Amino acid sequence: MKRQLSLPKEKIRIVLLEGIHEAAASAFEAAGYSNVELHPKALPEAELREVLRTAHVLGLRSRTRLSADLLSKARKLFTIGCFCIGTDQVDLDAAGQQGIAVFHAPHSNTRSVAELVLGLTIMLCRGIFPKSQAAHEGDWHKSAKGSREIRGKTLGIVGYGHIGSQVSVLAEALGMRVLFHDIEPKLPMGNALSLPSLSDLLASSDVVSFHVPDTVLTHGMVVIQELGRMREGAFLINTSRGSVVDLEALASLLKEGRLGGAAVDVFPREPMAMGDRFESPLQDIPTAILTPHIGGSTQEAQENIANEVVHRLVSFSDEGSTVGAVNFPELNLQAHGDCSRILHIHENRPGILRQVTRVFGEKEINILGEQLQTRNGLGYVVLDTEHVERTAVLPALESIEGTIRTRILY
Ligand code: NAI
C-alpha cells in the first residue's frame, strides 16, 4: 500500500473523538491546523468507518477500538493520538504495518496521582473515612484515639519513577521521612533514602505506597508474606496496578486489625463501563478506602494529556519526529531550515536503504542528512535533501518493493 500525504496543513483532516479536552483543538490551531472536528462521544462503528475513510489524524480515548479491519479502511490516516495512558484499544501492529504512528501521554497525570496519594495518606492516618461514614449514619465519633499527624512519619515508596518521585517531594514538604525502593538506581529527591531491600522498606514504614508498572516482577509482588513484614497498624496505598497486591491477603490483615488501613485505586478486575457491578474482597471493611481507578483523573491531567499528545502528533506531522510513538521506530527530529524533508516508511528488509539513496543519486539530488531507525519489522528513514519537487522523487521511492508509505514534508 503506497500513499502520498504531503498536504497543506489546513487540508489535514483531524478528528477528535470521545470529548477530548478542548485544549487539544486550541493546540492544533496554534500549530496551524484548522481542520479539526470534535465529537463529544465515541462513534458507532458505521460512523467510525466513515470517519476513517477520510481522516488524516484521529484522536481517541479508551472507548474507541481500532481493529486491523477498521484500520485497513483508513486509507489517509497517518497518525493516531490516544489521549490517555493505555493504547490497548488500537491494534498497534496493524497500524504500524500501514505506516500509522500511534502516540499517547504516559505521564501527563503524574501530579494528579501524587496529590491523591498524599490526601489518602492523611485520610488513613486520621481515620477520616470511618468517622465520616459514622457521621453520615448519625454517630458522633469525636475522638483522637488512633488519629495521627503525618509529620514525622515514614513513607515507604515502592517504584521511584515519575509518580513515586513526585510523591516523595510532596511528602517531604509535609514533614514526612521518605524511604524508597526501586529496581533501577535512582537519584533521591530531597533527603529521601534508597533501600535496596523491599522487605526492609516494608518493615520500616508507617505508610507504604506502590508506584510500580505491571511486569512479571511486580505481578503478585505483595502477597501475605510481604504484608506480614509491614509494621503493626501500618497503612498501604496502591494506585499503581491491580495485579501488584493480593487483595484477599490484604483484606484478612485489615479485618484482623493487623494493618491500620488501606487505600486502593486499582483492582485486578475493574468494571468495563460505568454502571457495571464492581466487586472486591475489600468491600465492607471500614478501614479500606476504595476508589474507582481515578488516581490520574483530573481536569488538569486531561488538559496536560491534550497538550502532550497534540505536541507529539504535530511534531510527527510537521517534522516526522516519532519520539514517544508506541508502535514506530523512534527518531527525534527538529525542523531543518533550508531543505526538503522526505519520509520513507518500509518493511524492514535488507537493501531498502540502498535503493532509497540510489533514487537521489540517480537524480543527482544532494542528500544533506539521513536518519534510519527500525522496530518491530518496520523501517523508517528520513532524508533531508536539497529542495526537490514531490513528483521528482516520490514515484520512484514508492516503486521500491517493501515501501509502506512516503511523505514529503517540505
Ligand atoms: P514510571 O515508569 O515512571 O515508574 C515506575 C518505577 O517503578 C520505575 O522507576 C521502575 O524502575 C520501578 N520498578 C519497576 N519494577 C519494579 C520492581 N519490581 N520493584 C521496584 N521498583 C520497580 O511509572 P509512573 O508513571 O510513575 O507510574 C507508576 C504506576 O502508576 C504505573 O503502574 C501506572 O500504570 C500507574 N498509574 C496509575 C494511575 C491511576 O489512575 N491510578 C494513573 C497513572 C499511572
Side-chain angles (χ1 to χ4, degrees):
M1 201 181 327
K2 295 158 206 171
R3 294 172 226 132
Q4 298 176 14
L5 280 160
S6 320
L7 281 174
K9 287 186 185 187
E10 65 279 6
K11 292 223 166 117
I12 294 187
R13 183 172 180 233
I14 300 166
V15 181
L16 304 179
L17 307 176
E18 302 189 57
I20 287 166
H21 196 281
E22 64 224 24
S26 314
F28 272 122
E29 274 155 30
Y33 293 82
S34 50
N35 189 354
V36 183
E37 188 179 309
L38 293 162
H39 292 262
K41 295 218 161 86
L43 295 177
E45 191 173 317
E47 277 179 52
L48 181 59
R49 274 182 197 276
E50 192 49 34
V51 161
L52 284 170
R53 235 173 30 82
T54 51
H56 300 102
V57 178
L58 187 70
L60 48 88
R61 293 170 67 188
S62 55
R63 288 187 211 284
T64 303
R65 305 209 79 79
L66 290 182
S67 61
D69 172 48
L70 275 173
L71 285 167
S72 69
K73 310 291 182 303
R75 319 250 349 138
K76 296 183 173 174
L77 196 68
F78 67 90
T79 188
I80 296 170
C82 298
F83 286 73
C84 51
I85 313 296
T87 53
D88 306 351
Q89 65 279 43
V90 178
D91 187 326
L92 296 177
D93 287 339
Q97 281 155 21
Q98 286 183 235
I100 300 169
V102 181
F103 297 89
H104 68 149
H107 302 299
S108 296
N109 55 10
T110 295
R111 172 72 188 204
S112 304
V113 182
E115 282 190 11
L116 182 67
V117 169
L118 264 294
L120 291 169
T121 304
I122 296 173
M123 296 298 131
L124 287 168
C125 289
R126 297 289 292 271
I128 294 297
F129 275 65
K131 289 189 178 85
S132 168
Q133 186 59 36
H136 276 284
E137 288 161 10
D139 290 331
W140 193 245
H141 285 194
K142 181 170 165 55
S143 160
K145 192 161 176 266
S147 184
R148 312 293 300 266
E149 289 185 352
I150 65 167
R151 178 170 52 166
K153 304 300 177 300
T154 301
L155 173 66
I157 297 172
V158 185
Y160 205 65
H162 288 80
I163 298 173
S165 56
Q166 273 268 340
V167 170
S168 174
V169 172
L170 297 178
E172 279 203 336
L174 288 170
M176 296 190 85
R177 188 175 155 247
V178 176
L179 306 174
F180 70 89
H181 167 74
D182 199 294
I183 47 167
E184 299 286 337
K186 296 280 169 167
L187 197 65
M189 309 296 279
N191 296 316
L193 193 68
S194 167
L195 291 189
S197 147
L198 175 62
S199 298
D200 289 348
L201 177 134
L202 295 172
S204 315
S205 305
D206 301 302
V207 181
V208 180
S209 189
F210 289 87
H211 301 288
V212 288
D214 187 9
T215 66
V216 278
L217 288 180
T218 62
H219 205 97
M221 179 187 205
V222 184
V223 293
I224 193 82
Q225 290 89 329
E226 284 71 31
L227 293 171
R229 288 192 182 101
M230 288 176 66
R231 286 180 172 176
E232 185 86 27
F235 302 102
L236 178 145
I237 300 175
N238 186 18
T239 56
S240 64
R241 299 300 287 262
S243 57
V244 173
V245 179
D246 177 351
L247 295 187
E248 298 282 354
L250 178 61
S252 73
L253 294 189
L254 288 173
K255 282 179 191 159
E256 286 167 22
R258 166 78 182 69
L259 292 180
V264 180
D265 186 48
V266 286
F267 299 86
R269 278 176 306 283
E270 297 180 356
M272 290 295 287
M274 206 111 75
D276 287 358
R277 180 104 195 113
F278 164 64
E279 282 174 8
S280 165
L282 297 174
Q283 279 163 333
D284 297 324
I285 301 176
T287 51
I289 301 174
L290 308 184
T291 46
H293 204 147
I294 39 81
S297 307
T298 62
Q299 287 305 306
E300 288 81 356
Q302 291 306 314
E303 189 173 341
N304 292 340
I305 287 171
N307 286 319
E308 183 176 339
V309 176
V310 172
H311 171 75
R312 293 186 191 283
L313 295 171
V314 166
S315 300
F316 180 55
S317 182
D318 283 358
E319 310 302 341
S321 193
T322 49
V323 174
V326 285
N327 67 336
F328 229 70
E330 187 164 290
L331 285 182
N332 185 355
L333 303 162
Q334 276 75 43
H336 198 301
D338 196 21
C339 68
S340 282
R341 176 166 289 175
I342 297 120
L343 318 182
H344 188 264
I345 304 159
H346 52 263
E347 293 162 16
N348 183 18
R349 46 164 108 155
I352 292 204
L353 188 59
R354 183 167 33 83
Q355 294 179 70
V356 168
T357 44
R358 191 194 293 149
V359 166
F360 294 87
E362 282 172 356
K363 293 178 187 290
E364 297 189 355
I365 297 165
N366 194 20
I367 295 177
L368 309 172
E370 179 180 278
Q371 295 203 51
L372 166 75
Q373 195 52 266
T374 61
R375 177 178 176 186
N376 295 348
L378 268 190
Y380 180 40
V381 63
V382 176
L383 297 122
D384 288 340
T385 68
E386 63 180 294
H387 287 290
V388 284
E389 291 299 322
R390 62 202 297 261
T391 47
V393 285
L394 291 196
L397 289 173
E398 288 177 349
S399 70
I400 298 170
E401 204 169 318
T403 298
I404 295 173
R405 184 182 292 247
T406 59
R407 287 175 69 208
I408 180 162
L409 300 186
Y410 39 82

